[in-house]
Amino acid sequence: MKKVLLATDGSKCAEEAAWFLSHLPHGEKLDLSVLTVLQIPYGGQRYLSPSAVSECVDRERASAAEAYQRVKQMFEGANVSIQHISREGHRGQSIVEAANELAVDLTVVGARGHSVVRRLLLGSTSDYVATHSHSSVLVVRPTGLRDEHRPIRIALGHEDSDAARAAMQEFAETQWGNQSDVHIVSVVSYVSAFLNEMIVEVDEIKEAATQSVTAAADQLRSAAPSVQAHLIESDHIGEGLIEFVEENQCDLVVVGETPHSALGRVILGSVSRFVLRHAPCSVWITRNKGSLAE
């Protein structure tokens, strides 16, 4: 991964996102763009004097510059080239537009709040970016890692699909697994999504899934030496993956998606949407390798 867009508004959750990105292990040089979206009060200009509007703009630009300097300090000494860009307008739209213009590989945003209710609501900006972005998105939630001295715990969702295989390839290319505790997790359900009844061939499904996740772990081991394979049985794939993440106190969960149409972006993948809304940790939705499925 080379080109990354980090969105920041100077808030605590944005700072957590910057810190998390700065502590992910990487081998190749990162081309990092730090984006701040200025909130200029255009709608209220009729009620404000020109001097008041000018003062507001100056404060926004000063705050953006301060936020960028804090981020820049986090990456001091790292193999990173860093620049600051700013936009005006709707935050979510501005972030997605900037990501498209810069042709980034990954967009990083922070999520506000991490209680169950706040996760379900998510933040309007992070939700918009995760839903509308054409490339991969990392939504960061703090897990206490910042206060602990241990490897990052990563769960990689796996199934026998092009999207999952593409996610595994994209993850391997980041080299994030070299110094991390990596778990590749396959969740199998024996309930038909269409008939809502139990499937008869349970043993065959379980055996095929076991072979698939074991082979995937073997394939990933060169990029993640400590990877472990897990087979989880659950009626709901998303719930099974979230339960694993909670029980193993993971810091990051990775799920794959292929690029999709405008309608597909609105509804998002059911598993991706569930994981994004319910995970107590950071969520990385990968999309860059979707062309492999074509």
Side-chain angles (χ1 to χ4, degrees), residues 162-233:
D162 291 321
R165 285 186 285 271
M168 188 172 69
Q169 179 177 340
E170 185 172 341
F171 174 76
E173 290 177 359
T174 66
Q175 301 183 24
W176 290 359
N178 286 338
Q179 304 171 37
S180 306
D181 290 335
V182 180
H183 305 269
I184 186 163
V185 184
S186 180
V187 182
V188 293
S189 173
Y190 306 124
V191 179
S192 170
F194 298 100
L195 302 177
N196 196 30
E197 61 183 25
M198 291 294 296
I199 299 174
V200 177
E201 301 85 358
V202 170
D203 292 338
E204 295 179 13
I205 294 173
K206 186 174 181 179
E207 177 63 25
T210 300
Q211 292 179 2
S212 178
V213 72
T214 301
D218 291 340
Q219 183 179 348
L220 190 62
R221 191 155 280 115
S222 60
S226 66
V227 65
Q228 300 178 53
H230 306 267
L231 182 68
I232 307 297
E233 299 175 80

Side-chain angles (χ1 to χ4, degrees), residues 74-91:
M74 293 182 185
F75 288 90
E76 285 185 356
N79 189 19
V80 175
S81 64
I82 186 168
Q83 67 168 334
H84 182 215
I85 58 177
S86 62
R87 298 290 175 91
E88 299 176 8
H90 182 277
R91 282 180 177 165

Side-chain angles (χ1 to χ4, degrees), residues 22 27 31 34 41 48 53 58 65 67 75 92 96 114 124 186 196 199 211 247-248 251 260 271 281:
S22 70
D31 180 1
V34 180
L48 299 174
V53 173
D58 290 342
F75 288 90
V96 172
H114 45 271
S124 58
S186 180
N196 196 30
I199 299 174
Q211 292 179 2
E247 291 173 1
N248 290 272
D251 303 296
H260 32 230
V271 173
C281 63

Side-chain angles (χ1 to χ4, degrees), residues 136-154:
S136 298
V137 175
L138 172 60
V139 177
V140 176
R141 293 188 180 99
T143 59
L145 178 66
R146 195 169 183 174
D147 301 319
E148 302 174 7
H149 298 284
R150 59 171 177 79
I152 298 172
R153 303 183 188 119
I154 302 175

Side-chain angles (χ1 to χ4, degrees), residues 3 87 94 96-104:
K3 302 186 71 174
R87 298 290 175 91
S94 298
V96 172
E97 289 171 0
N100 291 339
E101 292 171 13
L102 295 170
V104 300

